[in-house]
């Protein structure tokens, strides 16, 4: 990054996760090593191999929007509006006629309104095409996330969404950073969302043999880097960050959590669902982010791993970290917060970017829970079972999606 490129900082955070509604509740539960996984309550799971998921609990959409809006909002829309309101409030950023065109929105979502699609299919089969809701299409499409955030809060700047599978949230954070660096906005609302705990989603991942079937022990089901893992657990929720140029944030006296220092992305060009051998694409992605941040490899203290709790991902990510960092790989702290939140798919990068910012801000590393029988092939420091107080000057968040699409961002401690 050249010296003319503006520094980008994180000034606001918002979370809706299986661990809590709000940043404080989610972060507190995360650092206490609590699991958000339990039996699925959204539909009858009879006949399903997997009957567990990480659902959001105690969420009331009317706490964040009008009753009329809440009635029409798909669950993923309600989550992202809620997280955006929290983040804007946290940042103290008021959008008005003076700054509306300089505040943008860029969010990621993997599957969008899958619940609406399934329910509308039932309507057309059982009641005929004329009974399909006029809200079906707008409730379904993923770009309604940034669209409705803009409508709700009046942000008229750059507006976009990406659907890069499980990397969508992190791609959004990185692309927002680029928009700010290029001077196209002063502030961006960014992150990711997903809510697809539905029959088709669970059945589809079951058919791929990707999900844990540890139905009798849901809180132990997501166990990244553990020898006894048997697949990932679907989670849901939203994570939103407010990014600003440092100049803009300081001019209005904003509190700053961290500097967003680097962004990298890569493509595996290998397989629809499996990572490239030995994590070659993942390593190139991380290398690109470190170079973009202008940091030596040894400066990275912590990685919030993609860490899905599948054998392919855990092993390839471990190999990628080793190939890139060499001996420093064994000095890094690495944790998978998916061990507690489950895998939020397109929302994972948003939520985990928020967790990464908090890790740098608080110098507190969340644990990887359910590390009971470490996989001998995954032999790095995964911060097992207990959070760790440690100075974190620079941290990386990884997200790797189906299709071999990879994204990494780097946050470093803000220096006044």
């Amino acid at each position: 990054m050249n010296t003319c490129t503006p520094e980008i900082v994180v000034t606001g955070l918002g979370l809706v996760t299986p661990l809590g509604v709000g940043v404080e509740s989610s972060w507190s539960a995360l650092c206490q090593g609590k699991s958000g996984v339990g039996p699925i309550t959204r539909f009858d799971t009879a006949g399903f191999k997997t009957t567990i998921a990480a659902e959001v609990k105690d969420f009331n959409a009317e706490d964040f929007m009008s009753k009329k809006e809440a009635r029409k909002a798909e669950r993923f829309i309600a989550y992202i509006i809620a997280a955006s309101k929290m983040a804007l409030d946290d940042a103290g950023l008021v959008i008005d006629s003076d700054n509306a065109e300089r505040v943008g929105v860029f969010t990621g979502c993997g599957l969008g309104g899958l619940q609406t699609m399934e329910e509308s299919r039932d309507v057309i089969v059982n009641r005929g095409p004329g009974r399909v809701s006029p809200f079906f299409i707008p409730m379904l499409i993923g770009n309604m996330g940034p669209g409705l955030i803009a409508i709700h809060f009046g942000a008229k700047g750059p507006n976009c969404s990406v659907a890069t599978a499980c990397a969508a949230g992190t791609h959004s954070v990185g692309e927002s950073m680029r928009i700010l660096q290029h001077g196209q906005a002063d502030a961006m609302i960014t992150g990711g969302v997903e809510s697809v705990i539905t029959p088709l989603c669970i059945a589809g991942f079951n058919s791929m043999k990707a999900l844990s079937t540890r139905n009798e022990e849901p809180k132990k089901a997501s166990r990244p880097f553990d020898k006894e893992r048997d697949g990932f657990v679907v989670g849901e929720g939203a994570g939103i960050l407010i990014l600003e140029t440092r100049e803009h944030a300081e001019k209005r006296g904003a509190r700053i959590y961290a500097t967003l220092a680097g962004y990298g992305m890569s493509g595996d060009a290998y397989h629809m669902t499996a990572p490239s051998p030995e994590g070659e694409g993942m390593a190139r992605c991380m290398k690109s982010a470190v170079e973009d941040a202008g940091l030596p490899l040894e400066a990275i203290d912590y990685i919030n791993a993609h860490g899905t709790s599948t054998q392919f991902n855990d092993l390839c990510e471990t190999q990628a970290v080793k190939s890139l960092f060499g001996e420093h790989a064994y000095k890094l702290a690495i944790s998978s917060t998916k061990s507690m939140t489950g895998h939020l798919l397109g929302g994972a990068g948003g939520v985990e970017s928020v967790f990464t910012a908090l890790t740098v801000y608080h110098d507190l590393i969340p644990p990887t829970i359910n590390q009971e029988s470490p996989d001998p092939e995954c032999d790095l420091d995964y911060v097992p079972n207990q959070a760790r107080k440690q100075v974190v000057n620079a941290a990386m968040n990884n997200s790797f999606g189906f299709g071999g699409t990879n994204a990494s961002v780097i946050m470093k401690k803000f220096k006044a």
Side-chain angles (χ1 to χ4, degrees):
M1 192 165 61
N2 67 53
T3 55
C4 296
T5 304
E7 183 177 352
I8 309 304
V9 295
V10 181
T11 58
L13 304 173
L15 285 175
V16 176
T17 79
L19 300 174
V21 178
V23 171
E24 186 174 340
S25 58
S26 293
W27 176 249
S28 174
L30 189 82
C31 292
Q32 292 176 52
K34 293 183 178 178
S35 170
V37 182
I40 292 173
T41 64
R42 300 278 166 73
F43 62 90
D44 182 358
T45 56
F48 284 78
K49 293 177 182 175
T50 292
T51 61
I52 57 173
E55 297 178 344
V56 170
K57 297 93 174 170
D58 303 321
F59 177 80
N60 182 8
E62 292 179 26
D63 291 342
F64 304 95
M65 59 185 71
S66 71
K67 188 173 183 178
K68 182 179 178 182
E69 290 169 330
R71 192 170 60 247
K72 290 189 295 186
E74 237 274 5
R75 194 181 297 272
F76 84 98
I77 293 296
Y79 289 164
I80 203 167
I81 294 291
S84 297
K85 184 176 189 315
M86 291 176 204
L88 285 167
D89 289 347
D90 188 40
L93 179 62
V94 176
I95 304 173
D96 55 26
S97 57
D98 291 335
N99 67 358
E101 295 181 13
R102 297 292 299 170
V103 180
V105 190
F106 200 132
T107 64
C109 181
L111 292 168
L114 189 59
Q115 179 179 334
T116 294
M117 180 179 286
E118 293 182 33
E119 291 172 351
S120 297
R121 173 64 182 169
D122 290 343
V123 169
I124 202 170
V125 169
N126 297 317
R127 300 169 64 192
R131 302 305 297 270
V132 172
S133 168
F135 295 106
F136 165 57
I137 297 296
M139 289 174 71
L140 171 73
I141 53 181
N143 77 299
M144 273 303 140
L148 287 174
I149 291 170
I151 292 167
H152 267 260
F153 303 108
K156 296 182 178 180
N159 191 291
C160 194
S161 67
V162 294
T164 47
C166 305
T170 299
H171 275 135
S172 297
V173 174
E175 293 302 317
S176 293
M177 175 185 177
R178 293 286 185 255
I179 287 170
L180 292 167
Q181 288 176 330
H182 292 162
Q184 296 168 309
D186 295 321
M188 292 293 294
I189 304 166
T190 185
V193 65
E194 202 78 87
S195 178
V196 290
I197 301 175
T198 70
L200 264 182
C201 174
I202 300 300
F205 280 125
N206 268 158
S207 293
M208 296 174 65
K209 303 185 189 307
L211 294 186
S212 171
T213 56
R214 196 183 291 262
N215 299 317
E216 303 307 314
E217 295 182 297
K219 295 190 182 307
K220 292 191 173 186
S222 183
R223 39 198 320 122
F225 309 111
D226 189 87
K227 190 171 59 178
E228 303 302 324
R229 64 181 172 267
D230 69 336
F232 75 86
V233 176
V234 177
E236 63 174 355
I240 292 292
L241 304 90
I242 305 300
L243 305 182
E244 301 180 54
T245 62
R246 176 174 180 160
E247 180 183 8
H248 187 263
E250 290 187 330
K251 189 177 293 183
R252 64 183 195 86
R255 178 261 321 278
I256 295 174
Y257 286 101
T259 293
L260 180 58
Y263 169 46
M265 58 179 171
S266 70
D268 284 357
Y270 174 68
H271 190 271
M272 287 175 65
T273 57
S276 53
E278 300 180 354
E280 179 271 342
M282 298 174 178
R284 282 189 291 108
C285 180
M286 291 188 280
K287 182 174 186 287
S288 175
V290 173
E291 289 176 348
D292 188 50
L295 295 172
L297 291 167
E298 293 76 17
I300 305 299
D301 299 307
Y302 167 68
I303 297 176
N304 187 310
H306 189 55
T308 57
S309 184
T310 62
Q311 185 172 2
F312 269 139
N313 179 89
D314 291 357
L315 183 56
C316 285
E317 190 167 11
T318 297
Q319 291 172 327
V321 170
K322 288 182 185 178
S323 68
L324 176 63
F325 289 94
E327 286 301 311
H328 184 61
Y330 294 89
K331 300 174 184 174
L332 284 166
I334 302 170
S335 64
S336 170
T337 48
K338 290 184 180 73
S339 61
M340 292 164 279
T341 65
H343 188 355
L344 277 67
L345 310 176
V351 168
E352 291 159 16
S353 290
V354 172
F355 289 155
T356 304
L358 290 169
T359 298
V360 171
Y361 187 66
H362 291 297
D363 287 325
L364 182 60
I365 298 174
T368 304
I369 69 167
N370 300 320
Q371 274 273 288
E372 297 168 346
S373 306
D375 182 340
E377 292 190 90
C378 298
D379 56 351
L380 301 178
D381 175 9
Y382 304 103
V383 193
N385 301 312
Q386 299 285 333
R388 179 184 301 165
K389 190 70 179 171
Q390 176 183 319
V391 174
V392 180
N393 288 311
M396 175 185 288
N397 178 42
N398 284 338
S399 295
F400 308 130
F402 280 174
T405 181
N406 309 307
S408 298
V409 292
I410 292 175
M411 298 197 192
K412 65 179 185 180
K413 201 173 287 297
F414 174 73
K415 294 184 178 177

